[in-house]
Amino acid sequence: MSTNTIDPNTWVDKYSDYLFNYTIVRVDNKEIAQDLVQETFFAGLKSMKNFKGEASERTWLISILKRKIIDHYRKINSNKGKAEVRINYTDSETEGDWLEERVADPFDGNAEGEIENEELGLAIHNCMGKLPEKQATIFKMKTIQGFDTEAICNEFDITASNLWVIIHRARTAMAECLEKNWF
């Protein structure tokens, strides 16, 4: 028999900050993170009868949140590669096809730079996806989001020297991956 109980009336006060901080590191967007935490609370309410008390309330909510984050990325990735919708338009001065009107001019240096930056961003994102989850999260927190060493060490219960070993390994793996996939 378990001693862990569930009380949804206290969830927001007890867990919202923790769940938000957990989520923001993984999705890097405040609004999306807030939505995912809200969806987690809602899913928890809907499935309260399934809570067996084998884990703490917070652990149970985190497991729900992890599935919400995974679903979020699945949804994003399932939209990749779908055909663009063409929209014909006519206004007082112009007539044309929305998609064709917005194709980058190959002779425009700014457009080329934007395309290269977008491709580099995708290459970096793909390479980060090949890192082990903990290593990728720590690398992102330190080098992209600018978290301080102490905060990361506290979050992952690691020493500062362990953090720098993880960062070094991530940088090395990223450099090798980008060398193969970008240059």
Side-chain angles (χ1 to χ4, degrees), residues 14-27:
K14 283 177 148 180
Y15 307 119
S16 60
D17 288 340
Y18 180 82
L19 294 175
F20 176 79
N21 290 333
Y22 181 90
T23 308
I24 194 70
V25 170
R26 286 152 180 85
V27 298

Side-chain angles (χ1 to χ4, degrees), residues 69-80 82:
I69 293 169
I70 290 167
D71 290 345
H72 164 74
Y73 281 109
R74 281 186 183 146
K75 182 179 177 185
I76 289 172
N77 289 327
S78 71
N79 290 331
K80 289 182 179 176
K82 291 187 177 176

Side-chain angles (χ1 to χ4, degrees), residues 53-116:
E54 295 171 354
S56 70
E57 195 175 46
R58 184 175 97 166
T59 302
W60 181 67
L61 289 169
I62 284 288
S63 70
I64 294 171
L65 178 59
K66 286 180 180 179
R67 287 191 295 267
K68 295 294 178 189
I69 293 169
I70 290 167
D71 290 345
H72 164 74
Y73 281 109
R74 281 186 183 146
K75 182 179 177 185
I76 289 172
N77 289 327
S78 71
N79 290 331
K80 289 182 179 176
K82 291 187 177 176
E84 293 284 339
V85 175
R86 293 182 179 271
I87 301 173
N88 292 321
Y89 66 91
T90 304
D91 62 26
S92 61
E93 298 173 4
T94 59
E95 181 177 329
D97 189 307
W98 181 84
L99 187 61
E100 290 179 356
E101 292 294 321
R102 285 156 180 79
V103 172
D105 180 357
F107 301 106
D108 179 8
N110 289 337
E112 186 175 317
E114 288 178 22
I115 290 170
E116 284 181 9

Side-chain angles (χ1 to χ4, degrees), residues 84-168:
E84 293 284 339
V85 175
R86 293 182 179 271
I87 301 173
N88 292 321
Y89 66 91
T90 304
D91 62 26
S92 61
E93 298 173 4
T94 59
E95 181 177 329
D97 189 307
W98 181 84
L99 187 61
E100 290 179 356
E101 292 294 321
R102 285 156 180 79
V103 172
D105 180 357
F107 301 106
D108 179 8
N110 289 337
E112 186 175 317
E114 288 178 22
I115 290 170
E116 284 181 9
N117 284 341
E118 186 177 323
E119 289 174 353
L120 176 59
L122 288 172
I124 290 171
H125 181 73
N126 289 337
C127 289
M128 282 186 64
K130 294 177 182 177
L131 295 174
E133 182 181 352
K134 181 178 178 182
Q135 193 179 62
T137 302
I138 289 173
F139 177 78
K140 183 177 177 183
M141 287 175 74
K142 186 66 180 166
T143 61
I144 297 173
Q145 296 171 329
F147 279 74
D148 67 352
T149 300
E150 185 178 354
I152 298 170
C153 290
N154 289 339
E155 173 75 21
F156 289 93
D157 194 27
I158 57 175
T159 64
S161 58
N162 191 355
L163 170 74
W164 291 109
V165 168
I166 292 169
I167 295 292
H168 172 73

